[in-house]
Amino acid sequence: MLPALSYTSLEEFEDDYIEALVEEAADVASEHVWWNQPFSLSADKRNPNLLSGLTKLMHRYIEDSTGEARKVEYRDDVLMGAVDTLTLFEMLAFLSKEHEFTWQVFIPIEPRPKPVGRIIEGEIEPKLFELIMPEIDALEITEKELNDTKLHQTLRETHFPQR
């Protein structure tokens, strides 16, 4: 499972349109309870006419209130990371379709991010789903578990009782 994904628009936008899309993304992202980090957009640092963002999907370790790091159950982390990945793809697809543009999705690695697929005017390339399917299959995570919001809430409460 991927610890994070980044994404950049391939089309350029005017400043006021960038601002409107950033706000729209924040509204859309607020509709989901994120496992690690929410979907968010900003003007790209290298080209401010592009939109970009990065979403951390997994935790691996969580620091408790005493500052002690504890390991997150791997299956829980993968399940919740997959839920967020699918939600992220849906949100990127929504904006892409609504505003008729393309996203390039990357794995954020050094020295430069690795492109792994695109979302073109709302259509998600199938190879993006292939990023998460091997781990989902290996851990025998079911579609029911991916869609079970009560289970997701229980896992959040288990791993983040202070929230």
Side-chain angles (χ1 to χ4, degrees), residues 58-117:
M58 295 180 62
H59 282 281
R60 309 242 194 245
Y61 293 90
I62 298 172
E63 202 171 287
D64 65 19
S65 58
T66 66
E68 183 119 358
R70 62 180 171 75
K71 191 170 175 57
V72 174
E73 173 72 35
Y74 187 69
R75 189 176 192 282
D76 294 349
D77 213 11
V78 170
L79 168 62
M80 296 304 289
V83 167
D84 281 3
T85 300
L86 295 170
T87 302
L88 174 65
F89 289 164
E90 287 175 16
M91 291 180 179
L92 291 169
F94 168 77
L95 291 172
S96 172
K97 183 176 183 175
E98 188 76 16
H99 299 281
E100 301 176 340
F101 69 94
T102 300
W103 292 107
Q104 177 66 61
V105 180
F106 301 89
I107 297 173
I109 57 175
E110 295 296 329
R112 77 183 84 209
K114 176 185 176 187
V116 291

Side-chain angles (χ1 to χ4, degrees), residues 128-143:
L128 287 174
F129 296 109
E130 293 168 13
L131 296 170
I132 61 172
M133 290 313 298
E135 208 72 27
I136 288 172
D137 291 342
L139 294 171
E140 299 178 352
I141 294 172
T142 65
E143 188 173 340

Side-chain angles (χ1 to χ4, degrees), residues 4 18 23 53 74 92 110 121 132 134 155 162:
I18 292 265
E23 287 178 29
Y74 187 69
L92 291 169
E110 295 296 329
E121 294 187 15
I132 61 172
L155 291 174
Q162 67 277 10

